[in-house]
Amino acid sequence: MDVGPLEIGLIVVAIVLIFGVGKLGQIGGALGKSIREFRRERDRTDDLPQASTIGSNGQVAVIQSEARPATGKSCPKCGSQVSENAKFCMGCGSKL
């Protein structure tokens, strides 16, 4: 399935009609900010040490240790430990 210039134009027109011209900048900024924050948190959790074990059935299981933040800040909804500068809980996803 190829997406040509006509299809892209129709998608842009539909977005402008739905959100309006004034909101497009705010939506783009919020989307970019969300993507940056998600990547920052994902990269931080990718740096955690991992250990692999071989189970009785011969399959390899990867065990990832949990990050322990230096502070005692916790999520008000689920109680998970979160880092001091986190804006979202990694346990339940709620906004902090």
Side-chain angles (χ1 to χ4, degrees), residues 4 16-17 21-23 25 27 31 39-41 45 49 54 59 63-65 67 70-71 76 79 85 88-89 95:
V16 169
L17 287 174
V21 178
K23 293 282 184 179
I27 292 169
L31 182 64
R39 284 183 181 167
R40 190 177 325 125
E41 289 294 323
T45 57
I54 299 176
Q59 292 182 343
I63 304 168
Q64 185 172 3
S65 63
T71 63
N85 58 354
F88 295 96
C89 174
K95 189 172 181 179

Side-chain angles (χ1 to χ4, degrees), residues 12-79:
V12 169
V13 168
I15 291 172
V16 169
L17 287 174
I18 291 171
F19 295 110
V21 178
K23 293 282 184 179
L24 287 181
Q26 294 174 352
I27 292 169
L31 182 64
K33 188 176 181 181
S34 300
I35 291 171
R36 280 191 303 272
E37 185 172 329
F38 177 77
R39 284 183 181 167
R40 190 177 325 125
E41 289 294 323
R42 186 188 62 193
D43 290 343
R44 201 179 110 232
T45 57
D46 286 346
D47 294 338
L48 296 175
Q50 293 182 350
S52 61
T53 59
I54 299 176
S56 60
N57 58 1
Q59 292 182 343
V60 177
V62 177
I63 304 168
Q64 185 172 3
S65 63
E66 290 186 25
R68 300 284 183 217
T71 63
K73 185 175 176 183
S74 61
C75 175
K77 286 192 177 182
C78 69

